[in-house]
Amino acid sequence: MRDRLYIDDTRSRIRQGHPWVYDNQVLRFEGRPQAGGIVQVFDVKRGPLGQAYFNPKSKIRARMITKDLDEPIDAAFFKRKIEAAWSYRRRMGNTESCRVVFGEADGLPGLVVDKFNDVIAIQTLSLGMDRWKKELVEALRAVTGVEKFYERNDVPIREKEGLRQLKGFLSEPFDTNLTIEENGLKLAVDVAEGQKTGHFLDQRLNH
């Protein structure tokens, strides 16, 4: 039997699309859920909700990734999700420097991916997502064609997931000082030392 998590989905919050299951919602388990592993999630009153990452050390006990109870969670799953996110970004235009993956909004909880010209900076902010880091880089390389990757996991929120802070190259080393164009302006970005991933690409319209 697959590992299962039974929760009290107050006011159908999870059923309506919220991706986080908090520790005080959990009523019982079936099986032996592994930290960072996949569990099937059920509402004790209304049945199946989908699959999620499980983390016994986090206040966010589970993060929903699909409503399909039986969808395989593997490298192909992540590639399909990234392809969908990148396709949407391309339709929106301005993909030279842009946020490729917006975490929960793209169905990939705890994942932030920013593209700066021919460089990608990645953050894996949940235990479940961090376990797939190698496969995520491979999928991003295949989908976007980018070959240069830098990890910006030097953020305190990872410690709440039982993860250590770290940063560094996920590819061959390269010059992390870049110049990007945004709204007709040339901006200096350092993906190794700048705030977050080096620049707030998700705030381009506000800038």
Side-chain angles (χ1 to χ4, degrees):
M1 177 180 287
R2 302 273 297 278
D3 294 327
R4 291 184 172 184
L5 196 65
Y6 290 88
I7 70 170
D8 182 5
D9 187 19
T10 307
R11 292 187 288 277
S12 296
R13 187 173 56 83
I14 305 301
R15 189 172 296 280
Q16 292 173 9
H18 198 289
W20 294 355
V21 176
Y22 292 102
D23 57 348
N24 60 4
Q25 291 180 259
V26 177
L27 300 177
R28 70 177 192 273
F29 305 99
E30 283 185 3
R32 296 183 177 180
Q34 301 297 308
I38 301 297
V39 293
Q40 293 179 324
V41 182
F42 290 79
D43 177 3
V44 291
K45 297 178 181 178
R46 297 180 59 192
L49 294 168
Q51 298 184 73
Y53 293 126
F54 176 72
N55 189 348
K57 296 183 179 181
S58 175
K59 294 286 286 184
I60 304 173
R61 196 54 47 93
R63 297 172 188 256
M64 305 297 299
I65 55 171
T66 177
K67 292 184 177 181
D68 186 338
L69 277 183
D70 300 310
E71 183 174 9
I73 308 303
D74 52 18
F77 171 87
F78 291 103
K79 187 178 180 183
R80 287 195 301 273
K81 289 281 193 178
I82 289 170
E83 283 174 337
W86 182 236
S87 177
Y88 182 73
R89 304 289 106 78
R90 291 178 70 184
R91 292 198 303 273
M92 296 296 289
N94 296 319
T95 55
E96 185 65 23
S97 292
C98 68
R99 177 149 294 180
V100 178
V101 176
F102 282 78
E104 282 78 354
D106 286 310
L108 292 167
L111 178 64
V112 174
V113 178
D114 283 341
K115 178 178 179 291
F116 302 96
N117 300 336
D118 63 346
V119 170
I120 279 181
I122 182 172
Q123 291 181 315
T124 48
L125 305 178
S126 67
L127 175 61
M129 195 60 70
D130 195 70
R131 291 181 62 176
W132 291 93
K133 188 161 49 182
K134 178 181 177 182
E135 290 80 2
L136 290 167
V137 169
E138 291 174 355
L140 286 162
R141 180 180 288 115
V143 171
T144 67
V146 172
E147 295 288 341
K148 301 175 184 177
F149 289 83
Y150 198 86
E151 174 179 17
R152 282 302 303 268
N153 279 324
D154 51 333
V155 286
I157 194 171
R158 277 174 56 93
E159 296 175 5
K160 295 182 178 181
E161 289 280 308
L163 297 165
R164 64 189 180 93
Q165 295 188 48
L166 71 165
K167 65 178 182 178
F169 294 101
L170 295 175
S171 64
E172 291 298 316
F174 53 88
D175 186 354
T176 62
N177 289 287
L178 312 171
T179 300
I180 68 168
E181 184 171 328
E182 185 179 276
N183 301 322
L185 298 176
K186 301 290 186 180
L187 302 175
V189 172
D190 184 350
V191 296
E193 300 298 335
Q195 193 171 10
K196 296 292 181 70
T197 60
H199 181 64
F200 291 93
L201 283 174
D202 58 323
Q203 297 296 315
R204 182 169 57 195
L205 292 178
N206 288 330
H207 297 161

